Structure formats: C-alpha cells, structure tokens
C-alpha cells in the first residue's frame, strides 16, 4: 500500500518535469569536462531523442555481440548507464540490447568492469518486465552476486526465493577448490531480510551451524602469499606467521574482525562476513523471528561440517544449531570486548574497535533475549565494561547500547541499571551535546526505549533540561524527534518548568555556545560560530548573580524552581545573531505546539490557569532573536483560548491578572487579541457562577480605555500601528460584556457609532482604502444592529453551552434556526444585502 | 543493512539555487510491500524510487547547509582551494536524521550523510543499524571514491565512471551489507580494486 508520503512524491513527480530530470552537471569539485568528446551534457540527456539513444544502443549491441571487450565497450556502456540513470522517466531499450546486456552479464569470460556496467544498466532499468535473467547455472560466485543485484532490484518475491535457493545450493556444494563463498553471504543476508521465509527450516539450521563454525574456527595463521619468483621458477609460497591483534601483539585466541595480518585466508574472510551479518541473522532466525527453526534436532546436519575444525568442538555438535550459533556468538563477543581494550596502532582500527564493541553489546542483548541463560554470564562482563567506558570520553557512544541492554534486562540487575541511567542522563548530554551523531543516537535511544523505561521513566522525565541541550544545539535534525518525545517527557509536575525552558531554548543555545567558548583551549578548532566574538560575555560570567542564572539554565535535571533570566538575555544578546541560535529559535514554535497538544490531554483546571498566566507573563519576556517573538506570539495566541476552553472559569479566577495584562504595556497584537477574545467569551455567569456584574463592569472599563487608547494613538508615528483585528475584537468583546450587563448598552452603542464614524472618515480621508478600515465599519454596524434587540443579542453573544450540541442544529423545531435567520436579517439589513 | 547509497551535489551555484542533483544512486533490493494488493507497474515503481532518492538528497543538502551555517563556516569553505589540498574527511560536516515510515520510504529509515566540498554522500539505512559502523563505512567509501575517481581534480568526473563506483561498492558494501573491515582488510580490497581498475 502506498502511504501518503509516497503518494505526494508521485504527485509532485507527475506535476511535470522537475529540476532533477534536467541534465546532471556538477559544479565545484566535479566540474570540468564531464563528458569530454561528447555533445554538451544538456543536449545529451535532456534532449536526447529516441533515435540517438537507438544509435548508442546499436553501438553497444555491436560491441557486445562481437565480444569486443576493448576500451570502446566500457565507454559506450558508461554513456548508456548515464542516459538511463539521469532521468526518472523510463528509457526504452530495444529487446536485443537488453538481451545482450544479460548475456554479457552471464558470460564466463567477460571482464568484471563490463559486467558491473551491464548489471548497473539493468538495475537502473528495473523494475523491468522483459527481463529473462536467471541465476540457475552460474557457478562463479562473484558473477552470481552481480546477477543477484539485478534480480533483487526487480522487487519480485518469487525471484527472491529462487535466488535464495540457488545461493544456498552453491554454498552447500563443498568443492575443495570451490568458488569463493564470501561473495555469497551478503546475498543470503539481503535475501533473508527481504523475504524472511525464503529459506527452509533445515537450510536455516544448516547455515546457522556453519556461521558458528566460521565465527569461532577461522584460521589463526595469515594467508600464504603467492609471489611468482621469476619467469622460470615456480610460484613460491611464503608463510607469514600468526595473525596479530590490533596493537601488534601475536593473537592470543581465535580469529575475529579485530585480528589483523598481511593477507587473509578464505575462512578469515568468511569470519568477517559472518560477524557482519550475525545480529540480523540471529533476529531473523531466532525465536520470535520469522522462521523458528530451533527444534531439538541434535543430529549431524547436512552442510554443517567443516570436518577439520569440528574435532575441537565435538561437544558442541550435540547442541542444536541455533544454540550452537548463540554459544559461538557469545564467545566471539566476549573476545571482542577483550580486544577492544587494546590500544590500536592505527586510527582506522581504533574506530573499528568502537564499532565492534557496540555490535558486540547489541549481539549480547539479542542473545540474552533469546536465551536468558546467557544473562548472568553477560552481566558479569558488562558491569566492568560500563565502569571502563564511563571513564573514557572517546567511548561515549558505546554507552548507549550498554544502557539499552540494562533496559532490556534491568530486572536482573536493578541497582546497576539505575546507576547506568543516572550516569547516562546526567553526564552525557551535558558533556557531549555538541556531537551531532551522538545527539541523534541519544535521542533515538530515548524514543525507542520509551516503552521499556517502566519505573525508571522518572529519570528520563526529570532529565529534560539536559536532553534539551541536544535539541538546543542540533535543532534541525532533532526537532521532529522531540515532537514525538515531548508527550512522554511532560507531566503535570514538570509542565510549567518545561514551558519556561522551551521558551528559553534559543537562550540555552547561546549559553551552551558561551560555555564551549569558556572551556575549550584556543588552539582547538571551535565548533561554534567564529564569526561572532563575545569577549564581554565571558567577562560578565564572573559576576556571581549571572553565574547563578547561568548554572540554572544549564541544569541537568528539573529543579522545580523558575528563575527570571532577563539579566542573562541582556548578557547573551551579542550571541543572538548566531546562525545556531536563530535555527533553534525557528524550531521553538513547532515544539510549543507539540507541548500544548500534549499538555491539554491531561491538564486540570489549576494547571491550565497556571500555564495561561505563564503565557501572558512570558509573552513580553523573551530572548531577543530576530523573528523569534513574532513566531512565539502566534503560537501563544492560539494556545491561550485553548487553555480557556479547557478550563473556562480561569478567566474569572484570574481576573486581576488579566486586567493587569490588558491595562499594561504591550508589544504585539496577537496575544492581546486572543486575551480580549477570551474575556468576551468566558467572562460570564454561564461559565462561572462567581462572575459578578462588578467584574464585568471593571473589564468593560479597562477594555473601553484600551480601545480609546489604540484608536487615538493611531495617527501617532511613534507608536506601532494597532492592527484592525485588535479593534474589531475589542468592539465585539465590549458588546458581549454589555449584553451581559445591560446598563452598559447605551455606552457601547455610543462607542460603536463613534467607531463607525471614525472608520467612515478614515475611509474617505487621507488614507483611502486603508487595510481593515472597511472591516471595522462593517463590524461596528453589525454589532449596533444586534444591540437593538437586547434579548437576541444576549442569545447570540452568550449562547448557552447546549447550543453546541448537534440537536440544536438538526431539529428545525428548536429556536436556533429561527434565531439564526433573524440574526442574519438584522445584521445584513443595514449592509443592504437583503431587501428590508 | 543499507537500503540505498547516493552521491549528490551540495549547494548549487547562485544561478541554480534550489537545484539538488543526484549524481549517482543505487538501491540494494527493493522494499517489501506485503499489503500491496495491486502491483503498480514497473514505470511507476521506478519513478517512485527516483523521487525517494531525490527527497533524501534534498534533505541532506539542507541539513548540511544548516550545520555549516551553525558552525559559522562560510560557503567558500566548500570550494577546494586547489587540487593538491588533501581533503580532511574528519572535518567535513556529517550527521544523521530519521525518516519516518511512509515518508518517503515505506519503512522507517535512518540517513547518515557526509558533505565533502560540493558533494554529498549518504547511506539510507534500516532503522536499527550500528551507526558507528555506518559512519565509518560512509567515510571509507567517500575517501575511496574521492581518491580513485580523483573527484577533486577539476577535470575529473564521476558521471561517466559508474563502473568505478560499482567496483568500489561491490567490494566494500556488497549488497548493502555493512562490513567490519579492519585496516588490513581495507588495504587488501583496495589492492584488489586497483588491480582491476588501473588509474
């Protein structure tokens, strides 16, 4: 089934030729004579007509038919590949050409270069209906690999299964000088991932047995080097001695991917392949995997004997193959843990050690899940491992799989598990927030492990200030992950603190930047924006009050307290222009929306009130980043009514604070508009019995003053112009309040008439057609008309709660349709749309 | 397992802003679609794959740009100073991001990317791969491609040398299998490759 994403991609694609289908020319490092000796790229790919393609095909056919494998053939095939691959629309190749490409691919004598090109062209054509390629008679394993790549690109499950059978057959044929099996294992791995049922049970068992052998019993001698000693002498062989460890010492135990030497034998290659595919294989073939072949079959299995090696493991042969493989995998991982402790001579090997350690822990995790009898043996080596890793920052990424292991098996070692999480959530984000890969892995770990945290979820939740450091520093790739993570992070206890921190996120970015600047030696390459210098900031950090705020902002865990960070905003202002800070500021509105949609799921009245006040308070107390305030205000203004809807009495309960807000100094119109609207909507006895006439009058006066202020100050050039929405919402709210306290009706009528006149004169005055003037005029007229019938006005402006029930809209006998008709007549009469 | 590998342009010149071009891409097998009752036809499947790759390339390009901006590194940094300059792959921007199921691939995927001068290299991985290994493999592939295709020499091209890329991929990333190759294994494979493709 195509998902929405795929559908939209296809829609985009069909909308017409996209830039992608244009010729591919590279710039910078890849510019130059890309296609020397050819027409210009654009005419080559975009305007290439069928007959030109036909000519190229004919040339390719001629060369391949004659088996002319000189330099012309690869050249022609490279062009053909480029033409086929450079467009997303189908290029049709003639059948003879397709057939020749397939024949060449299967030819036993054709050079590798040409076969790779043939396979590449066929793969680019796929899925292709007229393919007759078959892998049935190919003996050469390298060639089988190429054919397999074409077949797998077709996406036909039947083909995948028959390919699996063919590969298994070649794998099972044990010829002494047989084909090199190492080309086959990656195909097996791919096939089982694409079609888990492609192998029969006994085949899976047999292969498991052999994988165990390859893992554990690869040769510990280096391969023999064949060097021809001259024209007349016979090739002579030279023994290179035992394989070594990455630190140069002679290998102390069996061969692994961390054993090294000059040359490698075939079974050492297989060892590498086997370990590379091990985890996926265990998962696919183990219990709970798609095939569950772990039967108690203790007989010798077909294909299972590497007879020379098996002498050492007679006892092991009594184990069922899956168990045998797990046993060998366990030994292998233990050896890797030991080997990862060695000091590698080469940088590349030291990187590989880390990747191997991660894989070893992941494999151990799988083993323990499949067979709990491994658990105690594993725990006894993972505890010291964790102690070792936590002391060395170079190994920090290996801590994540260790933590995941404890999450999966924590009940067996609860105390240790707590210590592991504590260390992970306290130290790692604070010290490594600037590593993009670690940040990604850490957040993935949190996301994937959420269901497993259980009673340890508290540690994750209270660590949000630390987790947000990753977000603050790497907002572009992590925003969507945090949107998914937020609902699990937030609870009633942390919501207020989290909202503050979300609003301060760009400030946190700047603080982290400053922290890095203060910590790192000048000689190290800075990961921050070097174009901005902020020496003053570093100086100011010595101030003890600022220090305290700085520490608060950079806290590791939720503190339960809230600090006003205004002095920090001023201090960090020079960093507000950093691209990283701006990027973070751009992510905040999205995160705020995710936060509110999560919080409104569980917030009670008290929390809703608290958040609504916080929202008013913070709307003019933000770190000044270009464009930040406007973005945040848009979200806050949409969330304030949502909170009121969640808990309508909050308007009455927080009347004092709301009055202060509408009477106080204001910056933007968005939040004010939504607050004024909410007052009109929810300041009523129908929402809260505690609402008094006095309260309504107080609000009326405050809003009347506000309306007066914003309309009078309009001609002034020093004040920002008041948006017309604010004026219309103010008029509506005043009218609503008047409808609830009818003594106010004359006052509001007078006010509305004045506004109408004002709007009229503005429309005919010096600024004709000014935006919104018309809207003000219309609104004033409508409201005046409604007020002429106070009882209707009250019904319209303060509808009872039941009005939103469907019954009132379906049943023509209720008063609602009648009222609606009356109201629209009234409202529209003056506008002259309907005859009297 | 790797699902796809791609090479694409990063930061087009001013005149072509917004154009991200895929220079090479390769899928390892196709996504299963067990729920898919009716086959969509070869042409549509192919088109979808091309669009998926382009969607990944665009995301990588913007992630790379954002990361460079955040580090305060100007765009000129991306232009090779001269062909003799060794490229410091360790200092090249790199990162990872997640693709949710259905957008653009059916299954959830992880993308690991590396930006080298004006080229982006990316691996599209299954969701729970060993990212340290994937990152190492991507750096290895980028180094090999840069060296063997001499991508930084102004007259070089990768467009008409697909066989080099294929030759490197079949050895170092066979069928999308990430391999634990120590330095000696890498050297052995590199020798084998150099023998088959003399520079």
């Amino acid at each position: 089934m195509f998902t929405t994403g795929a559908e939209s991609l296809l829609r985009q694609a069909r909308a017409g030729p996209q830039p992608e289908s244009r010729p591919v020319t590279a710039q910078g490092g890849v510019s130059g004579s890309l296609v020397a000796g050819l027409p210009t790229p654009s005419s080559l790919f975009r305007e290439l007509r069928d007959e030109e393609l036909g000519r190229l095909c004919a040339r390719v056919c001629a060369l391949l038919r004659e088996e002319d494998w000189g330099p012309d053939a690869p050249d022609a095939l490279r062009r053909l590949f480029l033409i086929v691959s450079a467009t997303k629309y189908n290029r049709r190749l003639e059948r003879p050409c397709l057939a020749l490409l397939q024949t060449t691919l299967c030819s036993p004598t054709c050079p590798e270069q040409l076969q790779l090109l043939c396979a590449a062209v066929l793969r680019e054509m796929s899925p292709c209906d007229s393919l007759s390629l078959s892998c049935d008679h190919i003996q050469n394993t390298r060639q089988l690999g190429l054919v397999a790549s074409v077949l797998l690109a077709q996406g036909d499950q039947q083909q995948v299964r028959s390919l699996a059978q063919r590969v298994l057959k070649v794998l099972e044929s044990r010829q002494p000088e047989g084909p090199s099996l190492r080309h086959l294992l990656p195909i097996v791995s791919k096939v089982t991932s694409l079609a888990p049922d492609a192998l029969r049970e006994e085949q899976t068992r047999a292969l498991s047995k052999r994988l165990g052998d390859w893992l554990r019993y690869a040769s510990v001698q280096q391969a023999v080097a064949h060097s021809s000693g001259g024209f007349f002498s016979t090739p002579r062989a030279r023994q290179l001695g035992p394989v070594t460890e990455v630190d140069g010492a002679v290998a102390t135990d069996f061969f692994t991917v961390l054993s090294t030497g000059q040359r490698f034998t075939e079974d050492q290659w297989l060892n590498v392949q086997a370990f590379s595919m091990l985890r996926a294989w265990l998962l696919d073939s183990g219990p709970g995997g798609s095939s569950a072949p772990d039967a108690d079959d203790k007989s010798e299995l077909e294909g299972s004997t590497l007879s020379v090696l098996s002498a050492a493991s007679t006892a092991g042969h009594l184990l069922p193959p899956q168990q045998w493989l797990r046993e060998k995998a366990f030994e292998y991982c233990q050896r890797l843990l030991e080997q990862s402790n060695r000091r590698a001579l080469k940088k590349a090997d030291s990187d590989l050690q880390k990747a191997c350690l991660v894989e070893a822990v992941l494999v151990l995790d799988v083993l323990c899940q499949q067979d709990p009898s491994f658990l105690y043996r594993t725990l006894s080596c993972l505890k010291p491992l964790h102690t070792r890793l936590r002391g060395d920052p170079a190994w920090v990424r290996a801590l994540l799989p260790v933590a995941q292991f404890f999450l999966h098996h924590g009940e067996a070692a609860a105390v240790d598990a707590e210590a592991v999480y504590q260390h992970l959530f306290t130290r790692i984000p604070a010290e490594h927030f600037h590593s993009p890969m670690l940040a990604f892995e850490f957040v993935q770990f949190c996301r994937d492990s959420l269901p497993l945290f259980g009673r340890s979820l508290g540690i994750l939740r209270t660590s949000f200030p630390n987790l947000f450091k990753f977000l603050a520093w790497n907002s572009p790739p992590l925003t969507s992950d945090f949107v998914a993570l937020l609902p699990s992070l937030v609870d009633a206890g942390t919501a207020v603190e989290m909202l503050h921190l979300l609003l301060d996120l760009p400030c946190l970015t700047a603080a982290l930047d400053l922290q890095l600047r203060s910590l790192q030696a000048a000689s190290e390459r800075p990961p921050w924006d070097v174009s901005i210098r902020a020496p003053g900031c570093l100086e100011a950090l010595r101030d003890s009050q600022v220090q305290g705020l700085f520490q608060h902002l950079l806290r590791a865990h939720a503190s339960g307290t809230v600090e006003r960070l205004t002095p920090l905003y001023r201090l960090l202002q020079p960093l507000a222009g950093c691209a990283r800070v701006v990027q973070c500021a751009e992510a905040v509105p999205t995160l705020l929306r995710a936060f509110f949609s999560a919080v409104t799921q569980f917030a009670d009245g008290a929390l809703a009130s608290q958040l609504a006040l916080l929202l008013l308070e913070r709307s003019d107390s933000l770190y000044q980043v270009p464009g930040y305030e406007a973005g945040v205000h848009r979200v806050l203004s949409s969330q304030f009514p949502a909170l009121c809807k969640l808990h309508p009495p909050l308007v009455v309960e927080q009347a004092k604070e709301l009055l202060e807000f509408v009477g106080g100094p204001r910056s933007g119109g968005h939040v004010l508009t939504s607050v004024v609207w909410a007052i009109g909507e929810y300041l009523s006895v129908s929402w809260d019995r505690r609402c008094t006439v006095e309260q309504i009058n107080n609000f009326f006066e405050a809003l009347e003053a506000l309306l007066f202020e914003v309309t009078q100050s309009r001609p002034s050039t020093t004040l920002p112009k008041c948006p017309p929405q604010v004026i219309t919402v103010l008029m509506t709210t005043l009218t609503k309040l008047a409808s609830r306290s009818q003594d106010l009706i004359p006052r509001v009528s007078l006010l509305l008439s004045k506004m109408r006149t004002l709007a009229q004169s503005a429309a005919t005055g010096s600024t004709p057609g000014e935006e919104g003037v018309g809207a003000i005029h219309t609104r004033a007229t409508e409201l005046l008309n409604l007020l002429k019938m106070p009882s209707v006005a009250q019904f319209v402006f303060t509808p009872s709660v039941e009005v939103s029930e469907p019954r009132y809209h379906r049943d023509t006998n209720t008063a609602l349709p009648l009222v609606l008709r009356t109201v629209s007549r009234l409202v529209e009469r003056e506008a002259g749309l309907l005859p009297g | 397992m790797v699902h796809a590998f791609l090479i694409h342009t990063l930061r087009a010149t001013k005149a072509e802003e917004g154009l991200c071009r895929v220079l090479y891409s390769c899928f390892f097998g196709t996504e299963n679609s067990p729920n898919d009752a009716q086959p969509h036809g070869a042409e549509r499947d192919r088109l979808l794959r091309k669009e998926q790759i382009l969607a990944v390339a665009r995301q990588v390009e913007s992630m790379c740009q954002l990361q460079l901006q955040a580090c305060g590194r100007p765009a000129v940094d991306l232009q090779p100073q001269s062909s003799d300059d060794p490229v410091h792959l360790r200092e090249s921007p790199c990162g990872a991001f997640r693709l949710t199921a259905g957008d653009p691939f059916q299954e959830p995927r992880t993308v690991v990317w590396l930006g080298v001068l004006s080229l982006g290299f990316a691996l599209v991985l299954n969701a729970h791969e060993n990212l340290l290994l994937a990152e190492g493999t991507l750096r290895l592939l980028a180094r090999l491609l840069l060296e063997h295709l001499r991508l930084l020499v102004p007259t070089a091209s990768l467009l008409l040398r697909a066989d080099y890329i294929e030759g490197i991929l079949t050895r170092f990333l066979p069928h999308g299998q990430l391999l634990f190759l120590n330095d000696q294994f890498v050297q052995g494979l590199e020798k084998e490759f150099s023998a088959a493709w003399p520079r």
Side-chain angles (χ1 to χ4, degrees):
Chain A
M1 193 183 73
F2 275 107
T3 50
T4 359
E7 283 296 350
S8 76
L9 273 184
L10 284 173
R11 264 200 306 279
Q12 283 168 22
R14 291 203 192 94
Q18 295 271 312
E20 181 267 350
S21 60
R22 286 180 48 181
V24 185
T25 56
Q27 337 65 45
V30 285
S31 63
S33 54
L34 291 167
V35 278
L38 286 172
T40 61
S42 61
S43 61
L44 176 60
F45 309 120
R46 188 169 25 169
E47 290 147 27
L48 188 99
R49 284 190 295 274
D50 283 349
E51 65 241 46
E52 287 170 278
L53 179 60
R55 274 205 294 280
L56 182 59
C57 284
R59 169 130 186 79
V60 167
C61 288
L63 288 164
L64 295 184
R65 199 173 293 125
E66 291 160 23
E67 303 201 346
D68 175 356
W69 293 327
D72 286 351
D75 193 47
L77 278 172
R78 284 164 172 170
R79 289 178 201 199
L80 185 61
F81 172 79
L82 182 52
I83 290 164
V84 173
S85 67
T87 171
K88 60 189 177 188
Y89 302 106
N90 265 18
R91 290 277 190 204
R92 284 191 205 290
L93 300 190
E94 300 289 326
R95 269 175 189 274
C97 185
L98 272 178
L100 267 167
L101 287 172
Q102 295 173 57
T103 322
T104 313
L105 180 55
C106 301
S107 148
T109 52
C110 174
E112 183 194 356
Q113 187 186 21
L114 283 186
Q115 289 183 329
L116 277 172
L117 281 165
C118 290
V121 173
L122 290 170
R123 238 181 18 237
E124 270 299 325
M125 295 294 296
S126 59
C128 174
D129 298 328
S130 44
L131 210 66
S132 57
L133 204 58
S134 152
C135 52
D136 287 347
H137 304 291
I138 301 171
Q139 279 298 329
N140 181 325
T141 54
R142 196 183 50 72
Q143 219 170 353
L144 184 55
L146 286 178
V147 174
S149 76
V150 178
L151 293 176
L152 290 175
Q154 301 304 314
D156 176 354
Q157 289 283 307
Q158 201 42 53
Q159 230 155 8
V160 173
R161 286 193 194 90
S162 56
L163 176 66
Q165 291 307 318
R166 175 66 197 160
V167 171
L168 257 279
K169 198 164 172 215
V170 180
L171 260 178
E172 283 161 5
S173 64
R174 276 167 285 151
Q175 302 151 358
E177 289 297 311
S180 167
L181 298 185
R182 67 170 155 121
H183 296 292
L184 298 180
L185 284 186
I187 312 180
V188 175
S189 188
K190 189 83 214 177
V191 162
T192 45
S193 81
L194 291 175
D197 57 344
L199 300 188
R200 291 193 301 274
E201 251 182 62
E202 71 275 13
Q203 290 175 319
T204 309
R205 279 202 295 268
L207 196 53
S208 288
K209 174 70 185 64
R210 294 182 81 188
L211 283 172
D213 288 338
W214 287 324
L215 281 176
R216 184 60 181 79
Y217 303 109
S219 162
V220 286
Q221 294 293 315
Q222 296 188 34
V224 170
H226 295 280
S227 57
S228 59
F231 190 66
F232 293 107
S233 62
T234 50
R236 68 161 189 261
R238 192 160 54 91
Q239 193 74 26
L240 283 169
V243 292
T244 59
E245 304 285 351
V246 283
D247 59 1
V250 171
T252 53
D253 204 337
F254 61 92
F255 184 92
T256 72
V257 290
L258 286 176
S259 305
T260 179
Q262 296 287 310
R263 278 159 198 282
F264 297 101
T265 59
E266 183 66 19
D267 62 347
Q268 288 166 350
W269 270 107
L270 287 166
N271 181 285
V272 170
Q273 302 271 13
F275 179 63
S276 299
M277 65 183 279
L278 177 63
R279 185 157 54 100
W281 178 264
L282 285 172
L283 284 169
D284 283 342
S285 62
S290 34
S291 54
D294 205 14
D296 278 335
D297 184 354
K298 299 192 177 183
S299 63
E300 282 282 359
L301 289 152
E302 191 229 347
S304 69
T305 39
L306 289 178
S307 50
V308 190
L309 304 168
S310 58
S313 55
T314 325
H317 273 223
L318 297 174
L319 289 173
Q322 279 306 114
Q323 228 164 306
W324 161 260
L325 173 60
R326 276 187 224 129
E327 202 59 51
K328 298 300 133 191
F330 182 78
E331 290 169 23
Y332 198 95
C333 291
Q334 292 235 303
R335 171 132 166 82
L336 284 182
L337 295 192
E338 181 263 316
Q339 284 179 303
S340 67
N341 210 1
R342 293 173 178 269
R343 183 173 292 277
L345 296 176
K346 291 174 179 157
K347 174 82 183 76
D349 287 344
S350 141
D351 289 346
L352 185 71
Q353 278 180 308
K354 296 179 182 106
C356 285
L357 184 62
V358 167
E359 189 73 13
V361 176
L362 291 173
V363 169
L364 287 171
D365 191 2
V366 173
L367 293 177
C368 292
Q369 287 183 42
Q370 296 187 341
D371 183 352
S373 69
F374 285 108
L375 194 53
Y376 288 93
R377 281 190 279 169
T378 308
L379 277 174
S380 67
C381 65
L382 281 198
K383 281 182 221 169
L385 176 71
H386 183 254
T387 315
R388 190 184 111 202
L389 294 181
R390 57 188 285 176
D392 190 348
W395 290 81
V396 59
R397 283 171 72 180
L399 283 171
L400 287 172
V402 174
Q404 189 181 312
F405 181 91
F406 278 98
L407 267 180
H408 286 147
H409 310 286
E411 71 284 2
V415 180
D416 302 287
E418 288 293 310
V420 170
Y421 312 146
Q422 276 297 351
H423 173 260
L424 191 72
F425 287 112
T426 310
R427 300 284 300 280
I428 308 304
E431 289 165 14
H432 300 276
F433 62 88
H434 47 78
S435 155
M437 292 299 280
L438 177 73
F440 177 78
E441 278 187 305
F442 201 104
V443 176
Q444 294 304 307
F445 164 75
C446 293
R447 252 187 98 157
D448 294 340
S449 323
L450 272 177
L452 302 170
F453 270 104
R455 65 191 174 80
S456 302
L457 190 61
I459 299 181
L460 177 70
R461 282 187 164 164
T462 53
S463 303
F464 74 85
N466 239 359
L467 293 178
F468 280 10
K469 288 176 189 167
F470 284 129
L471 176 62
W473 196 258
N474 310 282
S475 54
L478 295 186
T479 305
S480 61
D481 290 304
F482 268 89
V483 165
L485 204 53
L486 271 178
S488 312
L489 283 182
V490 66
D491 61 14
T494 54
V496 170
E497 193 180 344
M498 190 181 287
L499 180 54
H500 272 292
L501 193 56
L502 277 175
L503 290 166
D504 285 329
L505 211 57
C507 188
L508 177 59
T509 312
L512 290 171
D513 187 307
L514 195 62
Q515 188 192 29
L516 275 185
R517 285 171 204 249
S518 67
L519 290 181
Q520 302 256 339
S523 58
E524 287 177 44
R525 191 182 168 84
W528 59 80
D529 191 340
V530 284
S531 62
I532 291 179
R533 294 179 202 287
C537 300
L538 286 172
E539 294 281 309
L541 265 188
R542 302 211 183 97
D543 180 90
S544 66
Q545 191 217 349
V546 170
Q547 264 279 318
L549 292 180
F550 198 68
Q551 294 308 329
H552 173 75
L553 184 57
L554 294 179
R555 66 199 181 274
H557 300 290
S559 63
T561 58
V562 171
E563 300 268 355
R564 300 282 171 274
L565 297 179
T566 324
L568 266 192
Y569 301 156
R570 279 199 296 276
L571 170 68
L572 294 171
Q573 200 53 48
L575 297 172
C578 284
R580 197 182 292 281
V581 176
V582 175
Q583 285 173 13
C584 176
E586 281 165 2
V588 170
T590 310
L591 294 160
L592 285 177
R593 270 184 219 107
F595 170 84
F596 279 109
S597 80
V599 165
T600 42
Q601 300 297 312
F602 62 77
D604 58 1
L607 183 58
S609 290
Q610 220 177 342
L611 290 174
L613 288 189
L614 190 163
L615 203 147
L616 298 183
E617 173 205 325
R618 289 301 307 265
S619 68
D620 62 348
S621 161
L622 293 170
Y623 184 46
Q624 292 299 311
V625 180
Y628 182 52
E629 201 176 64
V632 169
H633 279 180
R634 267 194 291 278
V635 181
L636 295 189
S637 63
S638 68
Q639 291 308 323
F640 186 80
L643 288 171
C644 293
K645 190 176 175 205
L646 193 68
H647 181 57
L650 86 81
V651 176
V652 174
E653 285 165 6
Q654 311 294 345
K656 187 165 153 280
E657 285 78 4
L658 291 179
L659 272 171
E660 271 169 22
F661 180 78
V662 295
R666 290 157 304 273
S667 43
H670 279 296
V671 182
L672 181 64
T673 312
S674 67
V675 171
V676 171
W677 179 86
I679 292 170
E681 194 68 13
Y682 296 108
L683 189 71
S684 147
V685 273
S686 61
W687 292 111
D688 191 338
R689 291 179 161 278
R690 291 168 292 174
C691 177
T692 60
V693 177
E694 193 193 346
Q695 253 175 349
I696 292 179
N697 289 347
N698 286 346
F699 269 100
F700 187 89
E701 268 158 33
L703 295 180
E704 191 185 28
L706 180 61
L707 180 62
F708 184 72
E709 184 191 326
V710 296
T711 47
Q712 291 309 300
S713 67
R714 287 190 73 211
S716 157
T717 47
T718 52
L719 285 165
K721 212 166 59 179
C722 181
Q725 293 95 309
V726 177
I727 298 177
T728 51
V729 170
L730 271 169
M731 293 190 309
T732 312
T733 296
L734 284 166
T735 317
K736 283 178 180 173
L737 295 182
S739 76
R740 286 164 212 161
S741 169
Q742 304 205 343
D743 296 347
L744 297 170
I745 288 182
R747 255 167 92 179
V748 82
S749 299
L750 186 67
L751 198 130
L752 289 172
S753 326
K754 264 166 73 181
M755 289 308 299
R756 190 163 57 169
T757 326
L758 198 74
Q760 233 157 8
S761 63
T764 54
S766 56
T767 51
E770 195 181 345
E771 217 184 312
V773 165
I776 295 172
H777 183 261
T778 316
R779 178 67 61 91
T781 313
E782 287 170 358
L783 294 171
L784 275 170
N785 287 346
L786 274 175
L787 282 174
K788 286 175 189 157
M789 295 177 73
S791 55
V792 174
Q794 192 175 14
F795 181 84
V796 173
F797 289 131
T798 317
S800 58
V801 183
E802 306 91 73
V803 163
S804 56
E805 286 173 14
R807 181 171 68 86
Y808 277 83
H809 297 265
R810 280 198 222 109
D811 188 351
T812 44
N813 294 326
T814 59
L816 193 63
L818 178 71
V819 170
L820 283 177
R821 274 197 300 278
T822 317
V823 169
S824 44
R825 283 237 184 86
L826 268 172
V827 166
E828 287 160 358
R829 185 170 52 195
E830 201 96 340
L833 294 174
L834 275 176
Chain B
M1 280 253 131
V2 178
H3 181 58
F5 169 73
L6 61 151
I7 309 174
H8 58 91
T9 62
L10 285 178
R11 55 190 57 230
T13 53
K14 265 266 156 21
E16 299 170 320
E17 206 139 326
L19 285 189
C20 177
R21 278 141 171 187
V22 177
L23 301 177
Y24 173 86
S25 68
C26 165
F27 275 96
F28 300 101
T30 52
E31 287 196 306
N32 285 329
S33 40
N35 308 334
D36 216 349
Q38 48 196 150
H40 295 289
E43 212 161 316
R44 183 180 148 138
D45 281 351
R46 184 175 182 278
L47 179 61
L48 179 64
R49 286 187 212 173
K50 288 277 177 188
E51 289 293 338
Q52 287 171 332
I53 285 290
L54 186 61
V56 173
R58 285 200 191 113
Q59 279 203 54
V60 170
E61 194 194 23
S62 70
M63 287 295 170
C64 182
Q65 265 175 13
L66 288 165
Q67 195 181 101
L68 283 172
Q69 277 169 14
C71 296
R73 283 163 65 181
V76 275
D77 242 28
L78 280 182
Q79 301 306 322
Q81 307 303 314
S82 85
S83 56
D84 302 331
D85 273 358
V87 182
H88 297 292
L89 284 179
R90 296 235 155 239
E91 289 175 18
S92 300
C94 96
F97 57 89
R98 177 178 176 129
L99 297 172
T100 48
D103 186 21
F105 299 101
Q106 286 176 29
E107 286 160 43
R109 306 278 179 191
T110 303
V111 177
V112 177
W113 59 267
L114 178 72
V116 187
L117 303 173
S118 56
L119 291 179
F121 298 86
L123 293 174
V124 180
L125 305 164
N126 293 354
H128 291 99
E129 281 300 327
N130 181 334
L131 285 191
L132 263 174
L133 179 62
E135 194 188 333
T137 307
L138 184 60
R139 286 183 196 280
L140 172 65
L141 290 175
R143 174 179 74 74
L144 292 168
L145 289 167
L146 290 172
E147 280 178 18
H148 289 270
L149 277 84
R150 301 194 200 199
L151 290 181
L152 302 177
V153 178
T155 52
S157 87
L158 64 79
L159 289 178
L160 277 176
R161 296 163 88 182
D163 48 327
Y164 280 75
I165 310 177
E166 298 280 338
I168 288 172
L169 288 180
T170 41
R171 285 172 174 77
F172 293 90
L173 191 62
H175 295 275
Q177 174 74 59
L178 292 168
L179 293 175
F180 290 87
L181 297 174
N182 67 41
D183 197 53
Q184 286 297 327
F185 275 98
V186 171
Q187 284 187 25
L189 281 177
E190 227 182 317
K191 269 185 206 147
E192 187 194 306
F193 174 72
S194 298
W197 271 266
R199 281 200 243 182

